[in-house]
Amino acid sequence: MDALIDETDARLLRLVQRDARLTAAQLSERLNLSPSACHRRLQRLEASGVIRNTVALLNARAVGRPTTVFVEISLSTQADDVLDAFEAAVARIPDVLECHLMTGSYDYLLKVVARDSEDFATIHRRHLARLPGVAKLQSSFALKTVFNTTALPV
Amino acid sequence: MDALIDETDARLLRLVQRDARLTAAQLSERLNLSPSACHRRLQRLEASGVIRNTVALLNARAVGRPTTVFVEISLSTQADDVLDAFEAAVARIPDVLECHLMTGSYDYLLKVVARDSEDFATIHRRHLARLPGVAKLQSSFALKTVFNTTALPV
DNA sequence: GTATCGATGCAAATTTCTTGCGCACCATTT
DNA sequence: AAATGGTGCGCAAGAAATTTGCATCGATAC
């Protein structure tokens, strides 16, 4: 089930991580391979789960979400059922793009996108502060996102 | 240049943010629209920059990068040229997926992916600690990524 | 030396993309 | 009320890309 990734696969992955709309013919030009071989490799990488998904990335500013905030959350307890309830509830907030369980001085780190700081205040009050088990919230605003890529090094 | 996004556009964007490989015909079934109208709307959304890119998302575990670390960085000064040099240098480290200039008690927040904690130690020593202007680094490990989406609320 | 397995290139069939065209609808003007 | 201009729609045809069967090649195992 786990696929071995040779150098050709790696080059394919590097390309489609930047632009998933390259055609098999375009990929094949850069790989010294036939289009059908490219296509079959991509099929295999997708079937084996190396490629999780292919998605459109939006311009956050164009859709009115230019503000990124990172929120450190401490829970009142680390009991399993509290963590589960927290995770289930936070997954339902569409403003939260990422949720990580952390080591260290707080329990969860969230990445939140808001329309502006006032909008974040609303999200904070209406959603984040009401999450089950929350003891403490600390928010840090991004003044500017220098870069933000989804391309993993391969 | 800025596109008005009506409800049909929004529904299109919600769909292609989850799966950019839906065909115009498949999209049209869910939107009560013809395939060609879907296609033209997507063209417009892309031309106007609302859709920034379409990319393949990889399984971090499958490509050997299961470990996510957030690194808070304080610089020795906030002089413009130091910030510029820092940003240019950090953009060249492929292990760093995100870099945000922050308000608050530190200057930059980085999201880094590593093979394991030992690999992160190497990245830390070889790349992060050598970035220009760095005064202090504080790293926080993610024990588990509960979720991680690129889909902005639209 | 031979068999086997996996991957390749080629080519045909299918599907999808892409765009020109005419039409309908709506708002504004005359 | 009629005319006008603009926008977006569906249809349909041509172009392009995907998808798959097949024969072949090369490496590895026996």
Side-chain angles (χ1 to χ4, degrees), chain B residues 40-71:
Chain B
R40 267 188 264 248
R41 278 173 179 266
L42 284 175
Q43 273 185 329
R44 192 171 57 82
L45 288 166
E46 186 153 8
S48 67
V50 176
I51 295 177
R52 179 162 46 103
N53 205 354
T54 124
V55 303
L57 301 180
L58 306 191
N59 180 332
R61 185 158 281 105
V63 296
R65 295 282 178 159
T67 304
T68 301
V69 188
F70 290 89
V71 183

Side-chain angles (χ1 to χ4, degrees), chain B residues 1 4 6 17 19 21 38-39 46 52 54-55 62 70 72 77 88 112 119 121 135 140:
Chain B
M1 189 61 52
L4 297 191
D6 64 16
Q17 278 193 112
D19 185 355
R21 292 225 273 219
C38 284
H39 183 259
E46 186 153 8
R52 179 162 46 103
T54 124
V55 303
F70 290 89
E72 301 174 0
T77 161
V112 179
D119 181 45
S140 301

Side-chain angles (χ1 to χ4, degrees), chain B residues 129-151:
Chain B
R130 295 180 185 179
L131 287 168
V134 167
K136 193 176 122 193
L137 294 169
Q138 178 174 330
S139 305
S140 301
F141 278 70
L143 282 175
K144 178 182 77 163
T145 293
V146 180
F147 60 86
N148 179 358
T149 181
T150 54

Side-chain angles (χ1 to χ4, degrees), chain A residues 3 5 13 16-21 42 46 48-63 65 68 70 72 84 87 90-106 108-109 111 113 115 138-154, chain B residues 3 5 13 16-21 42 46 48-63 65 68 70 72 84 87 90-106 108-109 111 113 115 138-154:
Chain A
I5 295 177
L13 291 173
V16 297
Q17 278 194 113
R18 309 286 170 180
D19 185 356
R21 294 225 270 219
L42 284 175
E46 185 153 7
S48 66
V50 175
I51 295 178
R52 178 162 47 104
N53 206 355
T54 123
V55 303
L57 301 180
L58 306 191
N59 180 333
R61 186 159 278 104
V63 295
R65 296 282 177 159
T68 300
F70 290 90
E72 302 174 357
D84 290 344
E87 293 181 5
V90 76
R92 285 188 225 107
I93 310 176
D95 313 284
V96 181
L97 300 191
E98 299 183 28
C99 173
H100 305 269
L101 178 65
M102 303 293 290
T103 65
S105 53
Y106 53 93
Y108 287 98
L109 179 64
K111 178 177 164 184
V113 288
R115 279 172 264 272
Q138 178 173 330
S139 306
S140 301
F141 279 70
L143 282 175
K144 178 182 81 164
T145 292
V146 180
F147 60 85
N148 180 359
T149 182
T150 54
L152 299 172
V154 177
Chain B
I5 296 176
L13 291 172
V16 298
Q17 278 193 112
R18 309 286 169 181
D19 185 355
R21 292 225 273 219
L42 284 175
E46 186 153 8
S48 67
V50 176
I51 295 177
R52 179 162 46 103
N53 205 354
T54 124
V55 303
L57 301 180
L58 306 191
N59 180 332
R61 185 158 281 105
V63 296
R65 295 282 178 159
T68 301
F70 290 89
E72 301 174 0
D84 290 344
E87 293 180 7
V90 75
R92 284 188 226 107
I93 310 175
D95 313 285
V96 180
L97 301 190
E98 300 183 29
C99 173
H100 305 269
L101 178 64
M102 303 294 288
T103 66
S105 54
Y106 53 92
Y108 287 98
L109 179 63
K111 178 176 164 183
V113 289
R115 280 171 265 271
Q138 178 174 330
S139 305
S140 301
F141 278 70
L143 282 175
K144 178 182 77 163
T145 293
V146 180
F147 60 86
N148 179 358
T149 181
T150 54
L152 299 172
V154 177

